[in-house]
Amino acid sequence: MAKGKDVRVRVILECTGCRNSVNKVSTGISRYITQKNRHNTPNQLELRKFCPYCYKHRIHGEIKK
């Protein structure tokens, strides 16, 4: 049996607040690694996670590898 593309793929989530910060108060960019199901969520994933650099819960969006 030949395997096709995997249904579950690994994605990297990056804080949108740190990435788009104008005054650059934060010292880094928060990133999380998770998995998503390609069939259930074909578009980009966005989750609300805690950012240790902003000290807030922010939206973390999927980035390209």
Side-chain angles (χ1 to χ4, degrees):
M1 286 177 68
K3 281 191 175 180
K5 288 191 173 182
D6 292 333
V7 175
R8 289 215 161 259
V9 292
R10 183 178 291 175
V11 294
I12 301 172
L13 303 175
E14 187 175 86
C15 179
T16 56
C18 293
R19 183 174 27 179
N20 299 332
S21 180
V22 176
N23 54 5
K24 294 291 182 187
V25 174
S26 64
T27 58
I29 297 175
S30 172
R31 288 189 175 168
Y32 286 95
I33 298 174
T34 188
Q35 292 181 348
K36 78 171 188 178
N37 190 323
R38 213 182 272 167
H39 295 300
N40 294 339
T41 54
N43 47 359
Q44 288 199 349
L45 188 65
E46 285 188 344
L47 294 175
R48 192 173 155 99
K49 309 274 285 175
F50 181 76
C51 177
Y53 300 105
C54 300
Y55 300 109
K56 295 179 181 177
H57 281 85
R58 296 272 178 126
I59 294 177
H60 285 66
E62 182 179 338
I63 61 170
K64 303 257 182 183
K65 288 186 181 179

